[in-house]
Amino acid sequence: MKTGLKSLILLLAATVVLLTNGCVHADQNTIIDQNTVISDQNWAYVNKIKASFKIDDASASYNLYLNLRITPDYKYSNIFVLVHQTGPNNKTQTTRFEFKLANPDGEWLGEGSGNLYSYQSPFRLNYKFPAKGNYQIELEQNMRDNPLHSVSDVGLRVEKAE
């Protein structure tokens, strides 16, 4: 093999190893990243999106995100969501969050891909869970429309803060 080709192969191999290690490191911080498809793109009040996960280190800080995908037919520039968090003590805490989805001129803020706009919007940053153990979070749409049309899927991401 020629020296130039060997160098190129070694460079590509090293790049793959570095990229793979970077991805593994990022995934080690992810506690959960789960999405649920919304049937017929109509998110009803009773269709709460549930995610369960375990917190092993209550002294660490975590970032929590709403994962959301909507179609261009979604008729609002925002969405209100109730977040119901139940911890190891079986007590539920509910908080209402508003997520901005578009600018006043109607330009979507999410990442466009085909006929969908994707959002990963933070709702708790550097959050410390009160205790280690099992948690459940339910996401409930809290808009006037029931069902809320043009919502493709909804989910939750929880990761250790860096």
Side-chain angles (χ1 to χ4, degrees), residues 111-141:
E111 297 290 322
S113 175
N115 201 27
L116 293 174
Y117 291 93
S118 300
Y119 299 83
Q120 191 166 76
S121 303
F123 63 92
R124 287 192 178 124
L125 295 175
N126 294 311
Y127 175 74
K128 291 196 177 197
F129 286 92
K132 65 181 188 175
N134 295 317
Y135 285 82
Q136 181 174 343
I137 289 184
E138 293 181 334
L139 304 170
E140 176 185 356
Q141 72 95 345

Side-chain angles (χ1 to χ4, degrees), residues 63-130:
N63 297 327
L64 288 76
Y65 301 88
L66 170 74
N67 294 336
L68 178 70
R69 289 197 317 168
I70 59 170
T71 73
D73 297 328
Y74 186 80
K75 65 182 185 177
Y76 300 105
S77 64
N78 67 343
I79 187 169
F80 285 95
V81 176
L82 293 175
V83 176
H84 308 283
Q85 178 178 308
T86 306
N89 62 2
N90 288 323
K91 291 184 181 178
T92 300
Q93 171 192 0
T94 299
T95 309
R96 185 176 193 234
F97 293 96
E98 177 184 13
F99 299 96
K100 186 177 174 186
L101 305 178
N103 286 324
D105 65 2
E107 177 190 5
W108 294 111
L109 298 172
E111 297 290 322
S113 175
N115 201 27
L116 293 174
Y117 291 93
S118 300
Y119 299 83
Q120 191 166 76
S121 303
F123 63 92
R124 287 192 178 124
L125 295 175
N126 294 311
Y127 175 74
K128 291 196 177 197
F129 286 92

Side-chain angles (χ1 to χ4, degrees), residues 33-52:
D33 193 354
Q34 170 185 311
N35 296 318
T36 300
V37 174
I38 303 299
S39 178
D40 297 322
Q41 297 180 343
N42 291 315
W43 191 12
Y45 294 146
V46 296
N47 186 11
K48 294 177 185 161
I49 307 305
K50 298 176 184 170
S52 297

